[in-house]
Amino acid sequence: MLLTHALPFSPRQHEESAPSQAAQAQQGPLRLAYLVSRYPAISHTFILREVSELRRLGAEIAVASINTPDRNAAAMTANERAEAGQTYYVKRHGLLGALAAHLWGLRRPLAYARGWWQSLRLGGANLRQILYGAFYFTEALMLARWMQAQQLQHLHVHFASAAANVGLALKQFAPITLSFTVHGPDEFYDAPGQHLREKIAAADYIVCISHFARSQLMHLSPATQWHKFEICPLGVDAHDYSSRRESGASHSPFNILCVGRLTPAKGQRILIDACCKLRDGGRDFRLTLVGNGPDEAALREHVSALGMSGQIEFTGALNQDEVRARYAQADAFALASFAEGVPVVLMEAMASGVPCVATRITGIPELIRHEHDGLLVAPSSVDELAAALARLMDEPKLAQSLADNALERVVRKHHLKRNVARLSEIFQQHSGGQS
């Protein structure tokens, strides 16, 4: 349906306001540790891109992951394999590594006791949470030992959830500085269980990917903490997604694509029901669901019960190279989520020149402006979602206009190089560039 896109203007035009590498070098090299729950992970490829771009800008980033990668090496891209080869995996060191970390931590008995107390205190009267606190503190000690060996004094954690509990425990034990990137919305739904107020208080600063995320942190904290909250959107490299087929005609059948974990929060069942309405209206289409997750069996059963197995494909999890190929064949991208931060998959689809339909929730309206960069519908509304997809089928000029505007918006507001340069600037401002 949509053509081969040349970017409407060079992303470099929008990098000039970001700090130059020479200016950063004058401040000193940026050195820090990144902590992620699982790395590389197929649903968090944006973290790998962010780390790679920071390194390209001259930063020294050492990555630690609590868990090993979610795939074997054969299923990874070349970049993912390279990252896995240089990542510190905490759990890989097992019981002996944990014991060695505790013996090492006992060299500072007061800090060790303080770290234990703070970690266990968060569990309250819940024995299970107390046990988790012990695990988090153990992992924090292992991470502290690794950071000392790497001569790193700042820790940045992606997501204010489980891995951030380790960061919180580490901050109680060691004289480090600490920051988080907060995505939402999961952390906001269970702020007490995620100890979000404690994390806000402990952090030296927090990177928010959207105004929505920042507003939720403001809601949970006193105004005296608000100066910590920096806004830095995520981004994609539009050049990686700009190759589109040259034909101006849509496929027959019309190809609808959805990329995301198969979980209730992603609303794939609503999308399937919307596609059922399209079928009942005589529409010729094909829906591709990329991803895996706990809802897969139930969704497959639902598709079978609706008699739509011939029109809906489940691909399972795909790596980034494979996902790009799917974007290149899509006529529309649909996301029926009930809960999101600002989905990177939407940015990828927009950068690919694919017109998008998404739900009007959380940070999504900061990315897509209704009827300008895409179509927004009410969450849970099968009728609105079906009608929006039908519009893209029936109004090719609208679809083309939405796709063109979406590509321009990604380049202007969500380009990887520009936004990671902004992130680097945030790190520099708060650390002075030193480890």
Side-chain angles (χ1 to χ4, degrees):
M1 161 185 157
L2 302 170
L3 53 142
T4 298
H5 275 294
L7 293 180
F9 38 81
S10 170
R12 292 181 181 175
Q13 296 172 6
H14 300 278
E15 296 168 15
E16 293 174 355
S17 60
S20 68
Q21 293 183 43
Q24 290 183 358
Q26 290 176 359
Q27 298 175 15
L30 176 63
R31 302 186 69 249
L32 66 153
Y34 258 51
L35 177 63
V36 189
S37 287
R38 189 180 299 277
Y39 182 85
I42 208 158
S43 59
H44 298 150
T45 53
F46 61 87
I47 301 177
L48 187 152
R49 296 175 197 156
E50 180 177 296
V51 168
S52 298
E53 182 59 20
L54 282 168
R55 289 175 179 154
R56 191 190 69 81
L57 291 173
E60 297 176 25
I61 310 293
V63 181
S65 175
I66 301 299
N67 300 289
T68 54
D70 58 355
R71 290 151 291 148
N72 59 38
M76 296 182 192
T77 65
N79 287 342
E80 288 172 329
R81 286 192 293 272
E83 281 297 305
Q86 60 183 333
T87 297
Y88 170 66
Y89 291 102
V90 177
K91 288 185 177 179
R92 185 174 283 173
H93 292 267
L95 184 59
L96 289 178
L99 179 60
H102 277 284
L103 292 174
W104 173 82
L106 280 168
R107 298 176 184 178
R108 299 178 56 215
L110 291 179
Y112 183 80
R114 183 175 61 249
W116 261 122
W117 167 248
Q118 293 291 341
S119 298
L120 298 181
R121 181 181 63 85
L122 293 178
N126 186 312
L127 291 179
R128 183 182 181 190
Q129 292 304 314
I130 291 173
L131 182 61
Y132 274 119
F135 291 150
Y136 293 140
F137 182 58
T138 299
E139 291 165 350
L141 289 173
M142 297 169 76
L143 190 64
R145 195 178 182 203
W146 169 77
M147 286 182 65
Q148 184 184 74
Q150 299 289 321
Q151 298 184 328
L152 297 169
Q153 295 175 2
H154 183 79
L155 178 67
H156 184 73
V157 188
H158 255 284
F159 299 100
S161 47
N165 292 334
V166 178
L168 182 61
L170 177 54
K171 181 70 182 288
Q172 301 301 329
F173 169 77
I176 64 162
T177 52
L178 178 67
S179 59
F180 304 110
T181 291
V182 173
H183 299 250
D186 293 348
E187 303 99 308
F188 311 141
Y189 293 154
D190 184 22
Q194 296 289 352
H195 310 297
L196 200 50
R197 287 186 172 88
E198 291 86 349
K199 290 170 184 173
I200 292 170
D204 292 274
Y205 56 98
I206 297 176
V207 178
C208 308
I209 68 164
S210 65
H211 287 274
F212 171 78
R214 184 169 181 257
S215 74
Q216 299 308 292
L217 296 187
M218 288 178 162
H219 172 64
L220 291 166
S221 60
T224 54
Q225 298 283 322
W226 292 0
H227 68 281
K228 294 182 178 181
F229 307 148
E230 303 273 9
I231 294 178
C232 184
L234 300 174
V236 298
D237 190 336
H239 286 113
D240 290 343
Y241 297 90
S242 59
S243 178
R244 301 287 296 143
R245 58 185 178 276
E246 297 179 359
S247 171
S250 63
H251 283 116
S252 181
F254 187 89
N255 287 331
I256 303 168
L257 177 65
C258 177
V259 180
R261 274 181 52 77
L262 304 182
T263 65
K266 296 293 184 181
Q268 285 103 346
R269 189 182 183 97
I270 297 297
L271 177 56
I272 290 168
D273 288 343
C275 286
C276 184
K277 288 185 69 71
L278 294 175
R279 181 204 57 184
D280 292 346
R283 303 279 183 173
D284 187 19
F285 69 91
R286 183 174 181 83
L287 170 64
T288 301
L289 296 171
V290 175
N292 57 18
D295 247 15
E296 182 171 352
L299 291 173
R300 286 182 178 273
E301 183 178 346
H302 187 52
V303 167
S304 178
L306 293 173
M308 298 183 66
S309 297
Q311 292 169 285
I312 299 180
E313 176 189 8
F314 292 82
T315 70
L318 301 178
N319 67 35
Q320 272 298 291
D321 294 339
E322 295 166 325
V323 172
R324 287 189 187 100
R326 296 288 178 161
Y327 288 129
Q329 294 301 314
D331 296 303
F333 186 88
L335 203 63
S337 297
F338 307 142
E340 287 285 357
V342 181
V344 174
V345 290
L346 273 179
M347 299 176 198
E348 293 173 351
M350 293 163 74
S352 301
V354 182
C356 297
V357 178
T359 44
R360 193 183 298 106
I361 59 169
T362 58
I364 289 179
E366 296 179 44
L367 174 64
I368 292 179
R369 297 164 294 181
H370 181 53
E371 296 196 339
H372 188 80
D373 313 298
L375 299 178
L376 298 178
V377 300
S380 83
S381 176
V382 172
D383 290 344
E384 282 194 32
L385 183 55
L389 290 169
R391 283 187 70 187
L392 296 182
M393 294 180 187
D394 295 341
E395 303 178 44
K397 289 184 178 179
L398 171 67
Q400 182 69 68
S401 174
L402 295 175
D404 289 344
N405 291 340
L407 176 60
E408 181 175 343
R409 185 161 180 80
V410 165
V411 172
R412 288 188 180 276
K413 299 291 186 180
H414 294 277
H415 198 279
L416 180 72
K417 288 182 170 57
R418 178 180 181 274
N419 290 358
V420 174
R422 165 63 183 147
L423 178 62
S424 177
E425 184 180 53
I426 291 170
F427 287 143
Q428 291 282 355
Q429 286 173 345
H430 288 275
S431 70
Q434 300 303 314
S435 63

